Amino acid sequence: MLNGCLADTEYLEVTARSGHRYAVWVTTPPGYAESSDPLPLIYVVDGNWAVGLTAPLIVTQADPYLAIGPYIQVSVGYAGEEAEQWAQLRNRDLVPPGEPVSEQMLTTLTSARDSGAMTQEHMDAYLAHLADTHADVFLSFLTEELHPLVQSKVRVSETGHGLFGYSYGGLFALYAWLQETSPFATFGAGSPGVAATDSQVFPLIAALPEHGPDAAARRLHVTLNEAELLGAIPIYREIGRNLLTVVEELDAKGRAGEVTKALLHETHLTGLQASFLSYLKTCHTRS
């Protein structure tokens, strides 16, 4: 039942050194069993939501109209009863430490509560996790604990690994790129949730050296949706404006050669799958 609709997917649960328990889906591509080639891994966060929308796209490796290179997908989410609270727990794991909560975010949550879309209990839990964020701990789990574990289970190449996230997951991917984190070579940041004008990503950008160490080796692909930037929802317009500022500051640092961008014809909700496919087609092509 855990992976019945996801072909060639193994499900496991992993307890991190932090004490948090994670659900992990490892999806191998078409032809994997008949091959002996080691393959790069692409990690996708928000697995409870994202795995059903992104893992099936692994078949695009066999699409003759595309040039997507072979990869193994590792989707990471939450296990057991915590799976029901994934939308709150992700704040703890995907948001950089010390990230401020903007007034626009507070207004958005309050409106959701007042309209009945969110209970006071859920709002309190959401804000509690935003007040104690640990993207650094989660990033260490992925790189130091989960990566070696997956290496022991499937044929993994030495290089070419990727990390993809959307919304707060996109903020996490941007944060990881700014940390210049191994073993990742490419990063997909879909509609990254830079919700505050004083986000922690801005001092990280300011601290970057003027030129990247290897622009070809570490690529960041950023996507944004038209409805976010031009639509009527203030929090998404704010995120869009902040992301444009991120891009401008990276350009000013001489990092334009490392960053690719795409504007998608989607909403925030429908954009995840399109953003992932855009990342694959841009950053993970056959050589």
Side-chain angles (χ1 to χ4, degrees), residues 52-84:
L53 291 169
T54 57
L57 291 179
I58 205 162
V59 300
T60 58
Q61 299 172 42
D63 189 332
Y65 295 97
L66 299 177
I68 295 174
Y71 66 90
I72 296 168
Q73 181 165 327
V74 183
S75 309
V76 186
Y78 302 98
E81 294 181 359
E82 285 194 332
E84 297 180 6

Side-chain angles (χ1 to χ4, degrees), residues 13-256:
E13 296 182 3
V14 181
T15 301
R17 289 196 296 258
S18 64
H20 303 311
R21 190 161 181 80
Y22 295 99
V24 180
W25 296 261
V26 180
T27 305
T28 52
Y32 175 81
E34 292 75 38
S35 172
S36 60
D37 296 334
L39 300 177
L41 305 176
I42 293 181
Y43 289 84
V44 177
V45 298
D46 279 329
N48 303 89
W49 174 38
V51 66
L53 291 169
T54 57
L57 291 179
I58 205 162
V59 300
T60 58
Q61 299 172 42
D63 189 332
Y65 295 97
L66 299 177
I68 295 174
Y71 66 90
I72 296 168
Q73 181 165 327
V74 183
S75 309
V76 186
Y78 302 98
E81 294 181 359
E82 285 194 332
E84 297 180 6
Q85 284 82 49
W86 72 269
Q88 303 161 17
L89 291 171
R90 69 196 290 265
N91 297 352
R92 176 195 72 199
D93 289 335
L94 303 180
V95 177
E99 185 75 355
V101 180
S102 69
E103 286 298 320
Q104 188 59 65
M105 177 61 75
L106 291 172
T107 299
T108 301
L109 294 173
T110 301
S111 296
R113 181 202 61 194
D114 293 346
S115 69
M118 174 182 284
T119 66
Q120 182 67 54
E121 180 183 6
H122 286 160
M123 178 179 171
D124 291 343
Y126 195 94
L127 288 171
H129 286 302
L130 280 182
D132 189 25
T133 52
H134 297 281
D136 52 340
V137 175
F138 184 63
L139 184 57
S140 294
F141 163 68
L142 293 184
T143 59
E144 299 174 12
E145 300 176 65
L146 185 57
H147 190 65
L149 176 62
V150 178
Q151 285 179 307
S152 72
K153 292 183 172 294
V154 291
R155 299 190 305 273
V156 178
S157 61
E158 292 295 322
T159 59
H161 308 299
L163 172 66
F164 174 84
Y166 188 81
S167 193
Y168 270 156
L171 175 62
F172 177 75
L174 175 60
Y175 169 78
W177 182 79
L178 289 166
Q179 299 294 312
E180 302 188 348
T181 305
S182 296
F184 307 119
T186 64
F187 300 75
S191 296
V194 187
T197 56
D198 53 348
S199 168
Q200 290 293 322
V201 302
F202 293 114
L204 290 174
I205 293 171
L208 288 173
E210 289 297 323
H211 298 285
D214 189 346
R218 296 187 66 258
R219 300 179 63 189
L220 172 67
H221 184 64
V222 177
T223 66
L224 187 65
N225 299 303
E226 284 184 354
E228 294 165 333
L229 195 59
L230 303 176
I233 301 177
I235 186 66
Y236 293 141
R237 291 202 305 268
E238 181 71 14
I239 288 172
R241 286 192 294 267
N242 291 338
L243 180 57
L244 294 178
T245 302
V246 166
V247 171
E248 290 171 356
E249 294 195 5
L250 288 173
D251 286 350
K253 279 288 187 177
R255 297 300 185 110

